[in-house]
């Protein structure tokens, strides 16, 4: 999915290289906003983060029944989450 998006938007073909660039974030927020325009202002998505690490049982981010281990994922991504909330009260 990312490869097709990258090609159409002129982004780096490798997600690791594009990472959490402002261009990628702006594109994703715009695409999400197009789909979520009916939500009230407080429910709008304003920032997004991209994590190229797979969520798998082996990485201890999923249970054997394929449920996400949200606390583990949040712990691994704490810096990224903090960055997303910078400047918000």
């Amino acid at each position: 999915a990312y490869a097709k998006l990258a090609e159409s938007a002129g982004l780096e073909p490798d997600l690791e290289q594009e990472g959490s660039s402002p261009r990628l974030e702006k594109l994703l927020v715009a695409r999400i906003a197009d789909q979520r325009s009916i939500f009230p202002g407080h429910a709008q998505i304003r920032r997004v983060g991209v994590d190229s690490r797979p969520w798998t049982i082996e990485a201890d981010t999923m249970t054997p029944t394929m449920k996400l281990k949200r606390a583990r994922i949040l712990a691994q991504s704490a810096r990224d989450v903090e960055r997303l909330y910078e400047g918000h009260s």
Side-chain angles (χ1 to χ4, degrees):
Y2 174 75
K4 188 182 282 188
L5 174 67
E7 184 178 340
S8 68
L11 299 171
E12 290 291 331
D14 182 6
L15 181 56
E16 289 290 328
Q17 289 179 343
E18 192 68 47
S20 58
S21 75
R23 284 185 341 156
L24 177 58
E25 181 178 344
K26 185 176 179 180
L27 175 66
L28 292 175
V29 168
R31 289 177 64 112
I32 292 167
D34 288 345
Q35 301 298 314
R36 302 288 184 183
S37 61
I38 61 170
F39 279 74
H42 68 273
Q44 293 295 320
I45 296 171
R46 291 176 176 77
R47 302 281 314 264
V48 296
V50 177
D51 188 348
S52 61
R53 295 174 293 194
W55 295 347
T56 63
I57 296 168
E58 295 78 20
D60 197 31
T61 51
M62 291 185 89
T63 68
T65 57
M66 306 303 283
K67 294 181 184 100
L68 293 177
K69 293 184 176 183
R70 288 176 175 79
R72 175 92 169 131
I73 293 167
L74 186 56
Q76 289 178 349
S77 305
R79 284 186 183 161
D80 295 328
V81 172
E82 286 177 23
R83 182 186 61 80
L84 293 174
Y85 282 96
E86 283 177 359
H88 292 284
S89 304

